[in-house]
Short mmCIF file of all heavy atoms in Angstrom, two decimals:
data_model
loop_
_atom_site.label_atom_id
_atom_site.label_comp_id
_atom_site.label_asym_id
_atom_site.label_seq_id
_atom_site.Cartn_x
_atom_site.Cartn_y
_atom_site.Cartn_z
N ILE A 586 115.14 75.81 120.83
CA ILE A 586 114.36 76.85 120.14
C ILE A 586 112.90 76.81 120.59
O ILE A 586 112.29 77.84 120.89
CB ILE A 586 114.45 76.67 118.60
CG1 ILE A 586 115.91 76.79 118.10
CG2 ILE A 586 113.57 77.70 117.89
CD1 ILE A 586 116.57 78.11 118.37
N VAL A 587 112.32 75.60 120.66
CA VAL A 587 110.92 75.46 121.10
C VAL A 587 110.79 75.90 122.55
O VAL A 587 109.82 76.57 122.93
CB VAL A 587 110.43 74.01 120.92
CG1 VAL A 587 109.06 73.81 121.56
CG2 VAL A 587 110.37 73.65 119.44
N ALA A 588 111.78 75.55 123.40
CA ALA A 588 111.74 75.92 124.82
C ALA A 588 111.75 77.44 125.00
O ALA A 588 111.03 77.98 125.86
CB ALA A 588 112.92 75.29 125.56
N ILE A 589 112.56 78.14 124.18
CA ILE A 589 112.59 79.61 124.26
C ILE A 589 111.20 80.18 123.96
O ILE A 589 110.71 81.06 124.68
CB ILE A 589 113.63 80.18 123.27
CG1 ILE A 589 115.06 79.84 123.74
CG2 ILE A 589 113.48 81.69 123.13
CD1 ILE A 589 116.14 80.13 122.70
N PHE A 590 110.55 79.65 122.90
CA PHE A 590 109.21 80.12 122.55
C PHE A 590 108.22 79.85 123.68
O PHE A 590 107.45 80.73 124.08
CB PHE A 590 108.75 79.43 121.26
CG PHE A 590 107.31 79.69 120.92
CD1 PHE A 590 106.88 80.98 120.59
CD2 PHE A 590 106.37 78.66 120.93
CE1 PHE A 590 105.54 81.23 120.29
CE2 PHE A 590 105.04 78.91 120.63
CZ PHE A 590 104.63 80.20 120.31
N LEU A 591 108.25 78.64 124.24
CA LEU A 591 107.31 78.28 125.31
C LEU A 591 107.55 79.10 126.58
O LEU A 591 106.59 79.49 127.26
CB LEU A 591 107.41 76.78 125.62
CG LEU A 591 106.94 75.84 124.51
CD1 LEU A 591 107.17 74.38 124.89
CD2 LEU A 591 105.47 76.08 124.15
N LEU A 592 108.80 79.39 126.89
CA LEU A 592 109.12 80.24 128.05
C LEU A 592 108.54 81.65 127.87
O LEU A 592 107.99 82.23 128.81
CB LEU A 592 110.63 80.32 128.26
CG LEU A 592 111.29 79.09 128.91
CD1 LEU A 592 112.81 79.21 128.84
CD2 LEU A 592 110.83 78.94 130.37
N LEU A 593 108.66 82.19 126.65
CA LEU A 593 108.12 83.52 126.37
C LEU A 593 106.59 83.53 126.49
O LEU A 593 106.00 84.47 127.02
CB LEU A 593 108.54 83.98 124.97
CG LEU A 593 110.03 84.36 124.82
CD1 LEU A 593 110.40 84.52 123.34
CD2 LEU A 593 110.34 85.65 125.57
N VAL A 594 105.95 82.45 125.98
CA VAL A 594 104.50 82.34 126.09
C VAL A 594 104.10 82.22 127.57
O VAL A 594 103.18 82.90 128.04
CB VAL A 594 103.97 81.12 125.29
CG1 VAL A 594 102.48 80.91 125.56
CG2 VAL A 594 104.21 81.31 123.80
N GLY A 595 104.81 81.37 128.29
CA GLY A 595 104.51 81.19 129.72
C GLY A 595 104.68 82.47 130.50
O GLY A 595 103.82 82.82 131.34
N TYR A 596 105.75 83.20 130.22
CA TYR A 596 105.98 84.47 130.91
C TYR A 596 104.84 85.45 130.64
O TYR A 596 104.38 86.17 131.53
CB TYR A 596 107.31 85.07 130.46
CG TYR A 596 107.62 86.40 131.10
CD1 TYR A 596 108.09 86.48 132.41
CD2 TYR A 596 107.41 87.59 130.40
CE1 TYR A 596 108.35 87.70 133.01
CE2 TYR A 596 107.68 88.82 130.98
CZ TYR A 596 108.14 88.87 132.28
OH TYR A 596 108.39 90.08 132.87
N ASN A 597 104.37 85.47 129.40
CA ASN A 597 103.29 86.39 129.02
C ASN A 597 102.02 86.13 129.82
O ASN A 597 101.35 87.06 130.26
CB ASN A 597 103.01 86.26 127.52
CG ASN A 597 101.95 87.24 127.05
OD1 ASN A 597 101.92 88.39 127.49
ND2 ASN A 597 101.08 86.80 126.17
N TYR A 598 101.70 84.85 130.03
CA TYR A 598 100.43 84.52 130.69
C TYR A 598 100.54 84.39 132.20
O TYR A 598 99.55 84.55 132.91
CB TYR A 598 99.86 83.22 130.08
CG TYR A 598 99.31 83.44 128.70
CD1 TYR A 598 100.04 83.09 127.57
CD2 TYR A 598 98.05 84.01 128.51
CE1 TYR A 598 99.55 83.31 126.29
CE2 TYR A 598 97.54 84.23 127.24
CZ TYR A 598 98.29 83.87 126.13
OH TYR A 598 97.80 84.10 124.87
N LEU A 599 101.73 84.10 132.70
CA LEU A 599 101.86 83.83 134.14
C LEU A 599 102.43 85.01 134.93
O LEU A 599 102.12 85.18 136.10
CB LEU A 599 102.74 82.59 134.37
CG LEU A 599 102.22 81.28 133.75
CD1 LEU A 599 103.23 80.16 133.95
CD2 LEU A 599 100.86 80.91 134.36
N ALA A 600 103.29 85.80 134.29
CA ALA A 600 103.90 86.93 135.00
C ALA A 600 102.90 88.06 135.14
O ALA A 600 101.92 88.17 134.40
CB ALA A 600 105.15 87.41 134.26
#
Side-chain angles (χ1 to χ4, degrees):
I586 299 299
V587 172
I589 291 169
F590 171 66
L591 293 177
L592 283 170
L593 288 168
V594 173
Y596 178 78
N597 183 39
Y598 287 100
L599 299 175

